[in-house]
Amino acid sequence: MAKENDAPTEIETITLTMSRPVAEAVQTACEWYLRLHMGQFWDVADDLCLAKFHSDLKNGAFKTKKQEDNAFEVAIDRRDFMRIGMEQAYNRFVLPAPISDVMRVPYRAEIVWLVIRHALAWHDNPEGMPGCVSYYDPMNRSDQPRPKIELREKGADEE
């Protein structure tokens, strides 16, 4: 039977297999996307402005404690300036709109972030940790079903 038009068939589910480092990157990307839509720039500014300092520290780039302290102060000053600038730009240029319109896609990203965070937390520490939000059952604010996640140990596919 021929299709009536050339539109693609609606896909109901997508299965994606990835390594833990990629899952952690997806988790971070989804969190940042949500936070950017909410005007929460602090963590983004931290990650961006402190990246070079942390890289230099890890790679032994500092010859003295004074060099390290100076580089840290410069990174913190830049981070603080970026936080203020991003917040000012957000407040100036982003107009309020109904949450149902502007948060539809960010809430979809949020549930991906929360499901990955929750699964990795319980995998890494099956005893849990009282009061740690990573162990809370993810609340789904999106218009889509909560994603399913399956963690497999290395070599589990070979059996």
Side-chain angles (χ1 to χ4, degrees):
M1 182 167 161
K3 286 175 57 173
E4 291 183 23
N5 61 44
D6 292 334
T9 306
E10 183 64 29
I11 297 173
E12 291 299 320
T13 63
I14 295 174
T15 301
L16 178 66
T17 302
M18 63 185 84
S19 66
R20 181 178 182 137
V22 172
E24 290 168 346
V26 169
Q27 174 186 339
T28 299
C30 288
E31 179 183 6
W32 279 22
Y33 183 75
L34 172 73
R35 291 188 184 283
L36 288 173
H37 275 271
M38 297 184 336
Q40 296 180 357
F41 307 111
W42 288 60
D43 290 343
V44 174
D46 278 356
D47 284 357
L48 293 174
C49 294
L50 293 170
K52 180 171 179 2
F53 171 78
H54 289 301
S55 174
D56 288 349
L57 186 63
K58 180 181 129 190
N59 293 311
F62 305 116
K63 304 299 181 224
T64 66
K65 178 75 168 124
K66 184 173 174 123
Q67 280 182 330
E68 179 182 330
D69 291 345
N70 184 52
F72 182 72
E73 284 183 38
V74 168
I76 292 298
D77 286 345
R78 290 177 179 195
R79 178 211 60 192
D80 292 347
F81 189 77
M82 184 174 186
R83 284 178 173 176
I84 292 166
M86 290 176 79
E87 189 170 326
Q88 288 173 340
Y90 181 87
N91 290 334
R92 169 111 169 88
F93 299 113
V94 178
L95 300 174
I99 288 177
S100 60
D101 293 335
V102 299
M103 294 304 289
R104 182 174 290 115
V105 175
Y107 282 160
R108 292 173 186 168
E110 177 187 44
I111 193 59
V112 172
W113 159 44
L114 296 176
V115 165
I116 294 171
R117 179 181 76 173
H118 183 256
L120 292 177
W122 282 106
H123 174 269
D124 294 348
N125 185 7
E127 296 81 37
M129 191 176 301
C132 180
V133 297
S134 297
Y135 294 91
Y136 294 174
D137 194 37
M139 180 177 73
N140 188 359
R141 297 191 286 181
S142 85
D143 62 344
Q144 297 297 305
R146 179 171 149 174
K148 293 177 177 38
I149 187 167
E150 177 186 335
L151 302 178
R152 287 188 293 232
E153 299 292 329
K154 201 173 202 174
D157 292 338
E158 299 167 6
E159 296 175 11

